[in-house]
Amino acid sequence: SSILPSLQEDSDNSAFDGELNMEILTEILSDKTRTGIAEIFDIFVESKRSLEVIVGLDASGSTARNIDKGSTIFDIEKTFAIIFARAIGLLTEKVKVYSFDSVTSTNVYKAISIDAVSSFKIGNANRDGDFVRYVNQELSKSSAERKYFFLISDGQPSADNYFGKEALDDT
């Protein structure tokens, strides 16, 4: 509960930078009878408003594998992406969720809303490196001070002429 208000206010405390209140520190050092915990840091609020986050889902055929009671890897990816994006939504309104698949080129699908992630479908293969470059290009257009990209994948990049060590190195 103490974290949530500061997240909603988009603020940061200066105490992390170590601004010492020299007057209070001098009082503490000169008065040996003083007890208790004293606040020796000057704390002021500094606005932090610009954050953009992109969450990417690997929608390749390898994520179609059943893992538990009919759920697929992709079902778990989508569920996690919705929960995670909603949580990040407490920090910023600039949260985008994409999925991707590939054959000879990479197809990228953008969810119109966080709940729309549930409508993503499994595709073919995946060229993870292509998708990472696409997201990098998207984030480079953003004016946000902080930009984060989270890729949710089974870690198996594979497509026509894109597999093995070369695919992993590209990713």
Side-chain angles (χ1 to χ4, degrees):
S1 64
S2 64
I3 294 173
L4 199 53
S6 66
L7 295 179
Q8 291 172 341
E9 293 168 9
D10 296 328
S11 61
D12 189 18
N13 291 335
S14 66
F16 296 112
D17 295 332
E19 290 92 6
L20 223 45
N21 184 322
M22 293 306 289
E23 290 174 21
I24 294 176
L25 183 59
T26 304
E27 282 180 35
I28 292 169
L29 293 174
S30 63
D31 184 3
K32 302 284 186 199
T33 62
R34 189 175 175 129
T35 61
I37 299 171
E39 295 292 329
I40 60 171
F41 289 107
D42 282 332
I43 298 176
F44 60 90
V45 175
E46 182 179 351
S47 176
K48 288 199 167 218
R49 297 185 181 177
S50 57
L51 169 67
E52 184 164 344
V53 177
I54 294 179
V55 179
L57 301 178
D58 170 3
S60 64
S62 62
T63 64
R65 193 174 76 230
N66 285 333
I67 55 171
D68 184 37
K69 299 178 186 173
S71 294
T72 64
I73 293 170
F74 194 57
D75 291 332
I76 302 301
E77 285 183 14
K78 292 191 296 185
T79 302
F80 177 76
I82 291 170
I83 294 167
F84 186 65
R86 284 182 183 164
I88 295 293
L90 295 172
L91 300 172
T92 181
E93 293 179 1
K94 296 179 181 179
V95 180
K96 299 176 187 171
V97 183
Y98 296 103
S99 72
F100 73 100
D101 67 359
S102 310
V103 180
T104 56
S105 64
T106 300
N107 305 305
V108 177
Y109 310 95
K110 180 182 177 185
I112 295 171
S113 69
I114 292 172
D115 292 332
V117 170
S118 62
S119 66
F120 284 155
K121 301 288 183 210
I122 295 172
N124 297 304
N126 60 315
R127 295 174 176 274
D128 292 15
D130 284 352
F131 181 66
V132 169
R133 282 186 287 280
Y134 173 82
V135 170
N136 185 48
Q137 185 178 33
E138 288 296 302
L139 288 175
S140 71
K141 297 175 191 173
S142 171
S143 62
E145 289 176 37
R146 297 192 184 261
K147 305 166 194 176
Y148 293 103
F149 168 49
F150 297 92
L151 176 61
I152 304 171
S153 172
D154 62 3
Q156 299 176 12
S158 180
D160 292 348
N161 299 321
Y162 189 88
F163 54 89
K165 183 177 178 348
E166 290 84 16
L168 287 172
D169 288 348
D170 181 50
T171 301

